[in-house]
Amino acid sequence: MDTEMDQIYQIDVGNLLAFNPNHRFSSAPSSREEVVKECVTEGTKLVQAIADTLFNFPSTESVDGPLVQLPPPTTKLPREKHLPRPKPPTKWEEFALKKGIQKRKKDKIVYDETTDKFKRRHGYDRVNDDNDIPIIEAKASDEPGVDPFAKRLDDKKKRVDKQQKNRLQNLKSAAKAGALPSHVQLAASALPITGTKAQPKKLGKEALGDVAGLAATSTASGGKFDKKLPGEKPPKKQGKHHKYLPILPHYGKVDEEKEQTNKVLSKLLSKHSHEILNVGKAIDMYNDKKEKKKSGRSDKLKPKKDITKKKPYANKAK
Amino acid sequence: MMEIRTPKTHKAKRVLEKRAPKLVENGKKTLILHGTKTSATVSSVLMELYRLKKGGAIKYSRRNANIRPFESGGETSLEFFSQKTDCSIFVYGSHTKKRPDNLVLGRMYDHHVYDLIEVGIENFKSLLSFSYDKKIAPHEGSKPFICFTGEGFENVPELKQLKEVLTDLFRGEVVENLNLTGLDRAYVCTAISPTKVFLTHCAIKLKKSGTIVPRIELVEVGPSMDLVIRRNRLPNEGLRKEAMKSSKDKPKKKLKNVDQNDVLGKLGRIYIPDQEVGKIPLADKSKGVKRERREGKLKKDKEEGSASKKLKESE
């Protein structure tokens, strides 16, 4: 800290910091450059003082150069974050403390009696695997219709869920005490809904796309001139969907028009044509058409208007 | 309904552990940002400060209109940024008619504002305007010397706070081992009046002297400016006490493979890697390496040597 050599500088080697509280400037600082110069000289003195102590430390040689061990800093500076708070004991820990249960270290390899081998406790090919039990003996307390294998799986699931719930409770109490472990975050998974318990249905990708398309085309110009957002797909073909057959048949390819008519014909002439063709309806349609045609012909036979005839009340242009 | 969320990747887990509150903390990172309007001086000060603290600073380039450090509601954005970037010191620059070339230096405790000090910049000289030998230019990230001169730093409370803030700002990481060849910069702060501090950044030239301790010469390289104290806000006592609390016990390092036994005393465990006897290379049985041959050769050399000696003696 202070040595006789320095005029009572306050030195903190851990921070490479030095403070000279006793310097007084010459009462008439003539120009800025002089002031600057004086400051730098004072600074030099301070750095020299720190270096004096620093270079006198025992140094170890390393690849980059001499390394010295710095003492811990003496100036107290405020912390950046609070001190880590002690975690409250979990429910099991409290119970174990009360009952005096000690933790016992479990071995990774355990002796399996059914196969007379040493197997690992967890993982592939483990001891007491639930899937490996071939026979479960029936007990007097078992009900007749219950599947014991399914029951075992069910029990396990219940145990796992209970454990998850307990874990959540322990973490909640830790969060309350401000001691949540750094890698865990508790988040609200869904907003509390008052009223129905039904969760709002989430729209799928296609449904959203359809709705977006509807909204986009509901503008005055049908959404044609709107700026497209990045990632927005072009609208599906709108309007009538026509499929026209080619006029001329392609060489070697099936003549589609011929195929179409052949198809219809074969259906009409087939054994089951009465099922396909509604004969009654066809006859009615034919009769209607015939009657229309008749009335159309009668129109032709009616005398046409003579355009040369003068109109009775026409205004004479004088 | 609460949900437990844990990181899915190791990288995310490491980041979270790094940012968690610890007994021995990491170095403080600085957040540099500016307000709605900045002058040329302020923007260059912020830029150069960022360069000086490269590696331990984050600079935001957009302007932030809703940050007013001294007003009660204007700190929320700052606290949010501090949380997001894990920075506990911030430097906020702005320029208004009432407060030209303004710089607010602030510190955070638990991502809430701990203390603030507002300074005005005068007589700023950019680091580009200094000409010096490029060889002595300080390296990025080197630990600096910090020097304070003037009784003002002891007597005036605002200057005391400024001293603390500048120490926090410039100090960087707290290191245990220091490489003496890597000392190349110093910050010199002088209180030229009870309200004005002259700050400059110098490079260190080590010159030979008779002793182990080299003679030190400071050459001004970096930005230099006058800081005029404007407003400040001290931390309230309770918060200060809590922030200054330090845990006395060192973090216990687990000593592995050592056991204490009442009967046998201290027991240690040694692990030997698997010998893999099948993979040991067979002995080198080539002719020249065989022991009989080697010894025979040695004998021969000796005889020849003695024979030549005899010859020499006889001559």
Side-chain angles (χ1 to χ4, degrees), chain B residues 138-157:
Chain B
H139 292 103
E140 214 173 79
S142 55
K143 195 155 168 76
F145 284 97
I146 318 175
C147 315
F148 291 95
T149 318
E151 54 190 10
F153 284 121
E154 218 173 31
N155 305 334
V156 184

Side-chain angles (χ1 to χ4, degrees), chain A residues 17 23 32 90 101 107-108 112 127 145 207 214 245 275:
Chain A
L17 176 70
H23 179 79
R32 188 175 163 78
T90 60
I101 302 172
D107 291 324
K108 273 197 198 163
D112 186 14
V127 157
L214 275 174
L245 297 171
E275 284 169 3

Side-chain angles (χ1 to χ4, degrees), chain B residues 159-176:
Chain B
L159 288 183
K160 235 173 152 178
Q161 192 193 1
L162 185 63
K163 175 168 173 275
E164 211 184 283
V165 175
L166 287 176
T167 317
D168 231 343
L169 184 66
F170 291 132
R171 134 172 117 142
E173 295 256 356
V174 179
V175 286
E176 246 188 51

Side-chain angles (χ1 to χ4, degrees), chain A residues 10 14-25 32 35-36 39-40 42-48 50-56 59 62 64-71 73 75-85 164 167-168 171-172 182-190 199, chain B residues 1-7 13 16-17 19-23 25-26 28 86 88 107-111 114 123 143-151 153-154 163-164 167-168 171 174-181 183 188 190-192 198 212-216 218 220 226 243-245 247:
Chain A
Q10 287 173 17
N15 273 332
L16 297 183
L17 176 70
F19 173 39
N20 175 8
N22 298 318
H23 179 79
R24 247 168 234 118
F25 277 89
R32 188 175 163 78
V35 176
V36 171
C39 295
V40 178
E42 284 302 308
T44 323
K45 287 190 208 162
L46 285 166
V47 178
Q48 188 73 57
I50 309 176
D52 285 341
T53 27
L54 207 59
F55 281 82
N56 283 321
S59 70
S62 87
D64 310 312
L67 281 180
V68 290
Q69 224 177 0
L70 284 179
T75 36
K76 274 187 112 188
L77 289 166
R79 279 178 65 97
E80 162 177 57
K81 294 178 185 133
H82 58 262
L83 282 165
R85 293 183 197 125
Q164 284 285 76
R167 180 179 174 223
L168 187 61
L171 284 172
K172 272 193 190 165
S182 62
H183 56 274
V184 176
Q185 280 175 317
L186 284 178
S189 61
Q199 296 250 347
Chain B
M1 278 204 296
M2 283 256 167
E3 200 177 58
I4 303 169
R5 279 205 203 138
T6 48
K13 189 173 179 192
L16 282 175
E17 281 182 3
R19 294 188 178 193
K22 297 176 217 164
L23 268 178
E25 292 186 316
N26 316 328
K28 291 190 185 181
D86 195 33
S88 33
R107 291 184 290 181
M108 302 275 196
Y109 176 72
D110 257 352
H111 303 297
Y114 174 75
N123 302 324
K143 195 155 168 76
F145 284 97
I146 318 175
C147 315
F148 291 95
T149 318
E151 54 190 10
F153 284 121
E154 218 173 31
K163 175 168 173 275
E164 211 184 283
T167 317
D168 231 343
R171 134 172 117 142
V174 179
V175 286
E176 246 188 51
N177 300 317
L178 184 69
N179 186 353
L180 293 174
T181 48
L183 295 167
V188 177
T190 331
I192 46 186
F198 170 67
I212 333 165
V213 185
R215 194 165 63 86
I216 294 197
L218 292 181
E220 264 198 280
D226 279 352
M244 292 296 203
K245 244 197 268 183
S247 158

Side-chain angles (χ1 to χ4, degrees), chain A residues 5-190:
Chain A
M5 282 204 301
D6 333 86
Q7 325 150 248
I8 317 171
Y9 292 157
Q10 287 173 17
I11 300 182
D12 175 5
V13 191
N15 273 332
L16 297 183
L17 176 70
F19 173 39
N20 175 8
N22 298 318
H23 179 79
R24 247 168 234 118
F25 277 89
S26 52
S27 35
S30 24
S31 75
R32 188 175 163 78
E33 273 140 27
E34 286 213 13
V35 176
V36 171
K37 230 176 165 182
E38 200 175 339
C39 295
V40 178
T41 15
E42 284 302 308
T44 323
K45 287 190 208 162
L46 285 166
V47 178
Q48 188 73 57
I50 309 176
D52 285 341
T53 27
L54 207 59
F55 281 82
N56 283 321
F57 280 157
S59 70
T60 50
E61 275 297 321
S62 87
V63 188
D64 310 312
L67 281 180
V68 290
Q69 224 177 0
L70 284 179
T74 49
T75 36
K76 274 187 112 188
L77 289 166
R79 279 178 65 97
E80 162 177 57
K81 294 178 185 133
H82 58 262
L83 282 165
R85 293 183 197 125
K87 210 171 74 151
T90 60
K91 283 199 85 179
W92 168 255
E93 281 173 1
E94 280 172 5
F95 179 77
L97 203 66
K98 199 172 71 169
K99 292 276 183 168
I101 302 172
Q102 297 289 341
K103 254 200 218 181
R104 259 180 229 146
K105 189 143 179 160
K106 297 189 179 87
D107 291 324
K108 273 197 198 163
I109 311 283
V110 188
Y111 183 67
D112 186 14
E113 272 144 11
T114 46
T115 53
D116 289 341
K117 274 199 302 177
F118 280 97
K119 282 193 178 175
R120 67 195 71 168
R121 187 185 286 271
H122 304 287
Y124 175 73
D125 192 29
R126 57 177 172 267
V127 157
N128 297 335
D129 194 350
D130 256 359
N131 309 344
D132 289 347
I133 305 171
I135 303 169
I136 300 178
E137 290 177 18
K139 288 191 285 195
S141 55
D142 272 348
E143 287 172 25
V146 166
D147 175 14
F149 297 98
K151 190 166 177 287
R152 274 185 88 97
L153 288 173
D154 214 24
D155 284 341
K156 177 160 187 188
K157 196 162 181 291
K158 284 204 188 111
R159 269 183 282 132
V160 168
D161 286 336
K162 182 174 180 285
Q163 182 54 34
Q164 284 285 76
K165 201 163 68 103
N166 289 347
R167 180 179 174 223
L168 187 61
Q169 288 297 88
N170 286 330
L171 284 172
K172 272 193 190 165
S173 63
K176 216 164 138 189
L180 200 60
S182 62
H183 56 274
V184 176
Q185 280 175 317
L186 284 178
S189 61

Side-chain angles (χ1 to χ4, degrees), chain B residues 223-241:
Chain B
S224 81
M225 60 193 98
D226 279 352
L227 304 173
V228 178
I229 308 269
R230 286 183 184 154
R231 295 183 283 182
N232 75 332
R233 192 203 285 180
L234 291 163
N236 49 13
E237 261 315 300
L239 194 59
R240 204 186 82 86
K241 275 198 179 149

